[in-house]
């Protein structure tokens, strides 16, 4: 029996590598995305992975989207809450809309997706949830009060939900990536990125596949004793 996995934001960047890694390992994978239809279509054709469009910040859309995945593949065993956005600016310039958008997507999305699958996981006595946090949720980052708060919230959410899932066969863990070579990091101005890379002891950006390896470890059936943990994959930049 192959397990069914949903990867939010699973068509680009880290999520793309996670979707591909899970498929290669034999899981049935549903890759969610928000709006970039061209990238999603190209991804689906290239990798033979089904894609599903919905906004993780929208509670009702998550319920509907998960129902579509269940109709196609069967009950969901694994959710990788990876969808995330940045809307960087200092607090002085940050609008309430920038705050809300980042909190609603990055943290609200975890709540919405967990709500959509939780009862089924409880009923079946099995589940694996992996929430993608960030080094900047652990350490903070200039110009990212919204993003750091959302990612820090993910780490608290993970530890709290892990306690609810533990007696029921459901593990809930987080991964805190450092700086990974994706579109999100490509948006960082080159002079700022240069300074960031200089602070990474491994001496380079991480690869999306290096995060996918962590996800594969956490979602394995054999991973039942690992829960409530945060795996830092950051090239030694922040030893938490
Ligand atoms: P990308 O910007 O490369 O990809 C983001 C993905 O998330 C896309 O598939 C996008 O869909 C999807 N997405 C965005 N908003 C929504 C939404 N509201 N609903 C559904 N899907 C959505 O991001 P990364 O791969 O760089 O980042 C992935 C995760 O890792 C994020 O949570 C990020 O915060 C975290 N992270 C990244 C780091 C990095 O260095 N890259 C470092 C630490 C954490 P679409 O293609 O349709 O836009």
């Amino acid at each position: 029996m192959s397990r069914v996995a949903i990867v939010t934001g699973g068509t680009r960047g880290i999520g793309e590598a996670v979707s591909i890694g899970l498929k290669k390992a034999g899981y049935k994978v549903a890759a969610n995305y928000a709006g970039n239809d061209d990238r999603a279509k190209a991804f689906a054709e290239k990798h033979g992975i089904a894609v599903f469009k919905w906004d993780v910040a929208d509670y009702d859309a998550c319920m509907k989207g998960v129902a579509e995945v269940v109709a196609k593949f069967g009950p969901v065993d694994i959710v990788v809450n990876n969808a995330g956005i940045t809307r960087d600016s200092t607090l002085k310039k940050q609008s309430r809309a920038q705050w809300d958008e980042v909190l609603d997507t990055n943290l609200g999305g975890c709540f919405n997706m967990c709500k959509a699958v939780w009862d089924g996981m409880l009923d079946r006595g099995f589940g694996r949830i992996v929430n993608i946090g960030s080094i900047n949720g652990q350490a903070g980052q200039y110009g990212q009060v919204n993003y750091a708060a959302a990612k820090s919230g993910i780490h608290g959410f993970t530890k709290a939900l892990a306690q609810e899932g533990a007696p029921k066969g459901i593990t809930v863990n987080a991964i805190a990536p450092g700086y990974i070579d994706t579109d999100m990091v490509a948006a960082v101005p080159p002079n700022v990125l240069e300074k960031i890379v200089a602070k990474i002891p491994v001496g380079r950006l991480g690869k999306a596949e290096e995060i996918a390896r962590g996800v594969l470890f956490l979602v394995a059936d054999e991973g039942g004793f690992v829960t409530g943990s945060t795996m830092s994959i950051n090239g030694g930049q922040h030893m938490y």
Side-chain angles (χ1 to χ4, degrees):
M1 175 199 61
S2 53
R3 300 228 178 250
V4 175
I6 296 178
V7 183
T8 69
T11 57
R12 282 200 287 130
I14 291 172
E16 176 177 17
V18 171
S19 298
I20 294 167
L22 287 169
K23 186 183 180 222
K24 281 191 185 149
Y27 296 91
K28 287 183 199 155
V29 181
N32 150 269
Y33 72 104
N36 193 332
D37 296 315
D38 292 343
R39 281 292 289 265
K41 190 165 174 277
F43 163 86
E45 282 169 6
K46 183 168 179 199
H47 301 290
I49 295 174
V51 296
F52 295 80
K53 181 177 176 177
W54 75 80
D55 176 1
V56 297
D58 180 336
Y59 182 86
D60 293 335
C62 289
M63 299 296 149
K64 195 164 162 275
V66 169
E68 281 168 23
V69 173
V70 172
K72 188 174 174 75
F73 290 129
V76 177
D77 304 298
I78 296 161
V79 173
V80 183
N81 282 312
N82 165 78
I85 56 168
T86 51
R87 297 288 181 267
D88 295 352
S89 76
T90 55
L91 181 68
K92 187 174 167 59
K93 293 186 188 153
Q94 192 164 121
S95 66
R96 178 68 205 204
Q98 285 174 308
W99 169 267
D100 286 342
E101 209 180 335
V102 168
L103 268 289
D104 289 351
T105 302
N106 296 20
L107 183 56
C110 285
F111 174 83
N112 295 340
M113 288 302 299
C114 288
K115 280 291 280 182
V117 298
W118 193 250
D119 287 355
M121 288 181 175
L122 288 174
D123 289 346
R124 292 185 303 281
F126 181 88
R128 297 280 182 266
I129 291 170
V130 180
N131 301 317
I132 304 299
S134 171
I135 188 172
N136 293 348
Q138 296 171 311
Q141 177 63 282
Y142 183 95
Q144 285 198 322
V145 290
N146 50 2
Y147 185 81
K151 292 302 191 181
S152 186
I154 283 179
H155 296 305
F157 176 95
T158 298
K159 289 185 247 187
L161 192 59
Q163 294 180 32
E164 296 183 29
K168 307 290 185 187
I170 306 169
T171 66
V172 187
N173 291 288
I175 292 180
Y179 283 80
I180 309 299
D181 193 5
T182 68
D183 294 347
M184 185 181 273
V185 163
V188 176
N191 59 327
V192 177
L193 197 55
E194 208 172 290
K195 286 184 192 140
I196 290 168
V197 173
K199 287 188 189 145
I200 303 174
V202 168
R204 62 169 173 84
L205 295 174
K207 298 176 193 145
E209 293 74 17
E210 290 173 310
I211 305 303
R213 287 189 69 229
V215 173
L216 280 163
F217 172 77
L218 292 170
V219 302
D221 275 24
E222 297 79 6
F225 207 59
V226 185
T227 196
S229 72
T230 296
M231 187 188 283
S232 295
I233 305 178
N234 60 29
Q237 190 183 352
H238 181 66
M239 301 188 188
Y240 194 64

